[in-house]
Amino acid sequence: METKEIAELIELMAKGNLSEIEVEREGFRLRLRKEPPPAAAHPHMVYASPTSIVAPEKLKELAGPSAESSREIRSPMVGVFYRSPSPDSAPYVEVGQEVNENTVVCIIEAMKVMNEIKAEARGIITEVLAENGKAVDFDRPLFRIRPLP
C-alpha cells in the first residue's frame, strides 16, 4: 500500500467522522484508529503559545461575553501548519479579523500538497492556537473564533 492510499484513508476517516478503519490487501494489513483529542479531556489546556500577542484587555473584548460562545477551527488532516501562502507573505488572518465561511485561514501541507483551510463559519478570530511551520495532528485546534450572527 502506497503512502498516497494511506493519506486517502486518513482523509476518508476525517470526512466520514470515522474513529477507526481497517484494510487488508495481499497479506498487508493496516489499521488506523483516531484517539479522542486531548481537548475533550482537558478543555482548558493550551497546546501552543499564540503566534500573535494581544493585550489582555483587547483579548477580553475580542473573546466576547463568554468562552462557551467561542468555536474552534480544527485541523482536518495531519500536516504542517502555515499561516501565510509563502514565508514572505502576510498571514491569511490576524487576531481581531472578521472571517466568513469561505475565508482561507491557513494552509496545511500534507504529502507535499498545500491544502487551504477555510473558516467554515462567520466570526472574529480571537486566538491562534497553532505554531507556524510546526506539525499538527488531525482535529487539533488551529484557531478560536467568536461566532457572529
Side-chain angles (χ1 to χ4, degrees), residues 5-141:
E5 293 172 294
I6 295 170
E8 288 171 357
L9 289 172
I10 292 169
E11 189 172 334
L12 176 67
M13 285 180 71
K15 286 183 180 175
N17 201 22
L18 301 172
S19 60
E20 189 171 323
I21 191 167
E22 188 171 335
V23 176
E24 192 166 341
R25 192 184 303 163
E26 301 169 2
F28 177 79
R29 184 173 154 200
L30 174 69
R31 182 177 181 189
L32 300 171
R33 181 174 40 187
K34 177 175 60 171
E35 297 294 325
H42 305 286
H44 301 293
M45 181 182 256
V46 177
Y47 292 94
S49 345
T51 53
S52 296
I53 298 174
V54 178
E57 317 73 58
K58 181 70 174 168
L59 189 56
K60 285 179 188 174
E61 175 188 315
L62 293 171
S66 69
E68 290 85 35
S69 66
S70 71
R71 171 183 184 282
E72 291 175 339
I73 299 172
R74 295 178 166 271
S75 177
M77 65 189 70
V78 174
V80 179
F81 171 83
Y82 293 108
R83 290 195 61 202
S84 60
S86 67
D88 52 342
S89 298
Y92 284 106
V93 295
E94 293 286 358
V95 171
Q97 182 177 335
E98 184 174 333
V99 296
N100 65 44
E101 296 83 359
N102 296 315
T103 303
V104 175
V105 294
C106 66
I107 291 177
I108 295 184
E109 178 185 7
M111 300 184 65
K112 301 192 184 219
V113 175
M114 299 299 187
N115 301 280
E116 290 184 340
I117 308 304
K118 295 183 179 179
E120 296 182 0
R122 187 166 174 261
I124 305 284
I125 300 288
T126 58
E127 196 172 357
V128 180
L129 301 170
E131 192 173 340
N132 191 47
K134 299 292 181 178
V136 293
D137 292 325
F138 169 76
D139 205 37
R140 178 169 184 287

